[in-house]
C-alpha cells in the first residue's frame, strides 16, 4: 500500500515561508488524488490543498489561496506544500493524504495518511 512521510515542519516568523514535503512509496505517478490537510489547536482538521497527480485538478482552500502552492516532483515521488506570507493562524499539524483514483467527490475521504508535521508561526 501507499506510504506517506511528511517533513519540513518547524517554527518561522509571520510573513515568512516554509516548504513541506510528502514522499510517497509504492506510488505510480498519475493515478492518485493527493492533498494536504491541517489541524490547528482547538479546531477541526481542514483541507488545505490538493491535486490529482496527473495534473487534471487542483484545489486550494480560500484561506490559503494566493499564498500556498502544491508543486510536485514525479521523479522523486514527492508532493510539496510551498507556503509563503505565513500567518499565525496557519499554525498546526499538517498531514499529507492520498487515495487511488480521481479527486471527484468527497476530497476528505482519503485512504492513506501520513503522521503529520508540526508548523508553528510566531507573530
Amino acid at each position: 500500500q501507499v506510504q506517506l512521510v511528511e517533513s519540513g515542519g518547524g517554527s518561522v516568523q509571520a510573513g515568512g515561508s516554509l516548504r513541506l514535503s510528502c514522499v510517497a512509496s509504492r506510488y505510480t505517478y498519475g493515478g492518485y488524488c493527493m492533498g494536504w490537510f491541517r489541524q490547528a489547536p482547538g479546531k477541526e482538521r481542514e483541507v488545505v490543498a490538493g491535486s490529482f497527480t496527473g495534473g487534471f485538478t487542483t484545489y486550494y482552500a480560500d484561506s490559503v489561496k494566493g499564498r500556498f502552492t502544491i508543486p510536485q516532483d514525479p521523479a522523486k515521488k514527492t508532493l510539496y506544500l510551498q507556503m509563503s506570507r505565513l500567518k499565525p493562524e496557519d499554525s498546526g499539524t499538517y498531514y499529507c493524504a492520498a487515495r487511488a483514483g480521481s479527486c471527484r467527490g468527497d476530497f476528505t475521504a482519503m485512504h492513506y495518511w501520513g503522521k503529520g508535521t508540526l508548523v508553528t508561526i510566531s507573530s
Side-chain angles (χ1 to χ4, degrees):
Q1 63 182 32
V2 174
Q3 297 181 29
L4 307 173
V5 180
E6 308 98 332
S7 63
S11 298
V12 297
Q13 289 277 304
S17 299
L18 196 65
R19 187 177 76 167
L20 306 183
S21 299
C22 173
V23 179
S25 64
R26 301 184 182 181
Y27 165 87
T28 301
Y29 180 80
Y32 287 84
C33 178
M34 298 186 67
W36 289 95
F37 297 74
R38 70 185 180 191
Q39 186 167 25
K43 297 184 178 180
E44 63 185 14
R45 185 159 60 187
E46 64 179 346
V47 177
V48 176
S51 179
F52 186 62
T53 53
F56 297 103
T57 62
T58 58
Y59 171 83
Y60 293 94
D62 289 341
S63 61
V64 307
K65 283 183 178 179
R67 299 190 298 117
F68 292 10
T69 61
I70 47 170
Q72 298 180 38
D73 188 339
K76 296 182 180 294
K77 298 183 178 180
T78 301
L79 176 71
Y80 301 96
L81 180 64
Q82 181 64 53
M83 305 183 289
S84 62
R85 304 196 303 280
L86 285 161
K87 305 174 181 179
E89 53 262 44
D90 293 320
S91 297
T93 301
Y94 283 69
Y95 300 88
C96 180
R99 69 168 181 255
S102 77
C103 287
R104 292 179 294 178
D106 185 0
F107 191 80
T108 66
M110 296 295 197
H111 295 165
Y112 309 104
W113 293 83
K115 294 182 178 180
T117 185
L118 182 63
V119 172
T120 302
I121 312 302
S122 59
S123 60

